[in-house]
Amino acid sequence: MLPQRIIEQLIAIVGESRLLLEADDLKRFGVDRTTLWQAAPCGVVLPGTVEEVQSIVRLANQCNLAIVPSGGRTGLSGGAVAKDGELVVALDRMNQVIEFNPMDRSVTVGAGMITGQLQQFAEEQGLFYPVDFASSGSSQVGGNIATNAGGIKVIKYGMTRNWVVGLKVVNGAGDVIELNKGLAKNNTGYDLRHLFIGSEGTLGLICEATIQLARAPLESSVMVLGIENFAEIVDVLACFSHDLDLSAFEFFSQLALEKVVAHRGHAVPFQTETAFYALLEFEHSSPEIVDKAMALFEHCLDKGWVMDGVISQSLSQAKNLWKLREDISETLWQWQPYKNDISVRISRMADFLGEVDQLVMEQYPDFEIIWYGHIGDGNLHLNILKPELLSVDQFHNKCVNVSTDIGQLLAKYEGSVSAEHGVGLLKKDYLHYSRSAVEMDMMRSIKRAFDPNHIMNPGKLFD
Ligand code: 2HG
Ligand code: ZN
């Protein structure tokens, strides 16, 4: 419960209608896509300007009130969960285009802008915002930056980090700071912008972002290939990426395909059933590039790596093939999956796949495990489905053991316990498998420098 005195001060900052205290609102704004924690914020505040954000943070410092920044709440690691009476600061209203600069090919937007609207804006200017994922219709730019969101085109275009050329933030102490100011070149010491990217709300609130836009992409084709052996997905990747500039190389298992087909009504890509499928995309300026892709496909067939395949003949066919991959995450929610979002260097992927497959098969034979992910980035999404007979708690406890085993394997392979979803609450106990004690100490010191009173998203990333 917020004391009346703080309620009055918040209302003085944002106006009465921008402070939400009803149970429904607290529930809605206090969680992300995870289902393990109950929302219990003390209030939700919706600032409309950077100055209002600053006043809220200053007030929170005076009252020792913890803040959880909130974007589109599509996160998968609990980074935006407010379960301990925190004040949720939701940036939804700060969603405008602030400035478009065609010469720089950059746009400054409010952090609350929906990712899909930024993509749309870029398209209207004949440009392209290449960070894309299934939740782009509801995730927000600020949240994408706070988690350094990845998505389906990282192999060619990189993560969100690659496209942020400026940030306006309010740090945990309540200072407004402009970071990098849209510059392409700026070697003036530590680049604090990059500390905020992926900071998961622990250093301050991202209020505005200047985003570099790309040139519009060329026409692209999508292929889906049927692959029987796990390790050979990597052979196919090596073969295609050697000769083609791929814009995506994804994979999913037969089990994932079955669920998406059954629950979304999509058509299978071809009749041959294989244990795995790779989905790849490439842009092309001439028919020769498509011919080259077909020759690579033939080569993979001859090698016995690929059993069957299809290439899109139209935009709508390409979109339908993409749905087979993009709809997996949403389809799986009904099984309350435990999510692993892990990565290793691509060169170590083949060996890692073998070991992680063996590990889960031997130790967890009763679990239904759905494999998919961005194999071209070395990133696997391993979703473990909750068996009907287990309660959420029993299931979670068992998954914790799985995560420990996978964490140890990742440490051996020098991989990451969170490739793109962030650490939040879900992965903080496993952070030490990817980050050394010295690094974690340094991260804590950095947090102290930006957030001396420890009010920004406490308990996320680390304790
Ligand atoms: C994807 O690649 C998303 O589809 C979600 O990152 C992955 O839900 C997941 O595990
Ligand atoms: Zn993903």
Side-chain angles (χ1 to χ4, degrees):
M1 275 279 283
L2 267 176
Q4 190 57 29
R5 161 183 70 84
I6 302 182
I7 292 181
E8 279 161 20
Q9 283 171 292
L10 285 169
I11 289 175
I13 297 169
V14 290
E16 198 162 359
S17 62
R18 317 293 190 199
L19 175 66
L20 312 179
L21 299 169
E22 297 290 332
D24 277 359
D25 293 321
L26 300 185
K27 205 167 159 196
R28 184 159 61 95
F29 279 89
V31 286
D32 56 10
R33 292 294 273 124
T34 52
T35 49
L36 286 168
W37 301 279
Q38 300 299 316
C42 63
V44 179
V45 67
L46 292 151
T49 62
V50 179
E51 293 69 29
E52 287 180 9
V53 175
Q54 183 179 35
S55 302
I56 293 166
V57 173
R58 286 188 170 158
L59 176 66
N61 273 288
Q62 284 158 20
C63 310
N64 197 23
L65 185 62
I67 285 177
V68 174
S70 177
R73 295 175 295 284
T74 56
L76 297 169
S77 299
V81 169
K83 63 180 181 60
D84 294 317
E86 304 93 330
L87 178 68
V88 172
V89 180
L91 280 293
D92 299 39
R93 291 176 60 223
M94 295 172 62
N95 60 357
Q96 289 87 10
V97 170
I98 295 162
E99 189 192 347
F100 171 57
N101 193 322
M103 181 86 180
D104 297 331
R105 256 194 287 124
S106 72
V107 59
T108 301
V109 300
M113 175 172 274
I114 303 287
T115 315
Q117 284 169 354
L118 174 59
Q119 292 168 340
Q120 178 72 33
F121 177 84
E123 208 178 313
E124 284 161 10
Q125 316 308 316
L127 296 169
F128 184 45
Y129 180 56
V131 178
D132 195 18
F133 31 73
S135 62
S136 60
S138 45
S139 75
Q140 296 177 6
V141 173
N144 296 172
I145 295 171
T147 50
N148 186 26
I152 53 180
K153 293 191 195 278
V154 172
I155 193 171
K156 180 171 170 74
Y157 293 102
M159 311 272 282
T160 299
R161 183 182 299 286
N162 295 37
W163 302 95
V164 178
V165 288
L167 286 179
K168 190 184 266 192
V169 303
V170 175
N171 69 5
D175 307 305
V176 176
I177 330 175
E178 289 208 46
L179 305 173
N180 198 58
K181 300 174 185 151
L183 296 171
K185 291 185 135 181
N186 180 15
N187 279 350
T188 51
Y190 308 139
D191 192 337
L192 306 183
R193 155 190 56 159
H194 283 295
L195 284 180
F196 268 81
I197 302 171
S199 62
E200 303 191 27
T202 60
L203 303 181
L205 289 121
I206 295 163
C207 297
E208 293 174 7
T210 304
I211 303 291
Q212 186 68 57
L213 299 175
R215 288 202 181 76
L218 304 168
E219 194 185 323
S220 56
S221 291
V222 174
M223 273 180 152
V224 174
L225 310 173
I227 300 172
E228 202 45 54
N229 294 317
F230 216 163
E232 287 171 359
I233 304 173
V234 182
D235 295 320
V236 176
L237 168 65
C239 174
F240 273 88
S241 60
H242 186 267
D243 285 355
L244 278 185
D245 185 16
L246 294 173
S247 49
F249 192 100
E250 304 279 315
F251 94 113
F252 46 93
S253 63
Q254 168 64 21
L255 211 48
L257 179 68
E258 271 167 31
K259 299 222 184 272
V260 167
V261 167
H263 293 269
R264 298 279 158 146
H266 302 328
V268 291
F270 36 76
Q271 289 312 318
T272 313
E273 213 175 83
T274 49
F276 299 98
Y277 300 86
L279 182 154
L280 61 91
E281 185 190 77
F282 56 95
E283 294 171 13
H284 44 83
S285 51
S286 69
E288 287 80 62
I289 297 179
V290 181
D291 293 345
K292 195 191 271 182
M294 291 308 291
L296 292 167
F297 169 60
E298 294 291 338
H299 176 72
C300 291
L301 278 177
D302 288 349
K303 284 278 187 190
W305 298 331
V306 166
M307 303 296 131
D308 204 345
V310 61
I311 182 164
S312 61
Q313 302 296 334
S314 65
L315 195 60
S316 74
Q317 203 186 352
K319 281 189 175 154
N320 287 338
L321 291 173
W322 260 119
K323 282 184 189 156
L324 298 174
R325 163 66 184 87
E326 286 222 273
D327 288 356
I328 298 172
S329 180
E330 200 57 39
T331 303
L332 297 183
W333 276 109
Q334 56 194 295
W335 286 276
Q336 296 171 276
Y338 182 87
K339 292 182 175 294
N340 287 281
D341 163 37
I342 55 183
S343 71
V344 295
R345 287 169 67 155
I346 299 169
S347 55
R348 307 192 79 174
M349 188 52 119
D351 292 339
F352 178 74
L353 279 180
E355 282 206 52
V356 76
D357 188 29
Q358 192 162 354
L359 184 152
V360 290
M361 255 181 3
E362 273 172 14
Q363 302 207 31
Y364 310 100
D366 307 333
F367 284 160
E368 206 175 12
I369 296 180
I370 311 280
W371 296 87
Y372 60 108
H374 319 278
I375 204 98
D377 314 324
N379 179 187
L380 297 178
H381 293 312
L382 196 139
N383 277 226
I384 306 171
L385 307 191
K386 188 180 90 55
E388 239 175 281
L389 294 176
L390 291 187
S391 72
V392 172
D393 278 351
Q394 286 169 325
F395 174 58
H396 190 234
N397 289 341
K398 284 183 184 265
C399 290
V400 165
N401 296 336
V402 184
S403 289
T404 303
D405 291 343
I406 292 176
Q408 282 163 357
L409 196 58
L410 282 165
K412 175 174 149 191
Y413 278 88
E414 299 179 311
S416 173
V417 295
S418 181
E420 58 170 4
H421 296 165
V423 174
L425 294 167
L426 190 67
K427 299 294 172 191
K428 65 177 176 176
D429 291 343
Y430 310 99
L431 192 55
H432 65 97
Y433 290 117
S434 293
R435 297 298 198 106
S436 69
V438 174
E439 273 186 292
M440 284 169 65
D441 272 355
M442 290 176 74
M443 287 204 266
R444 288 194 177 90
S445 307
I446 289 168
K447 178 167 172 64
R448 272 194 296 279
F450 283 93
D451 177 30
N453 293 325
H454 201 70
I455 60 158
M456 288 309 310
N457 218 6
K460 311 293 164 51
L461 200 48
F462 41 66
D463 286 314

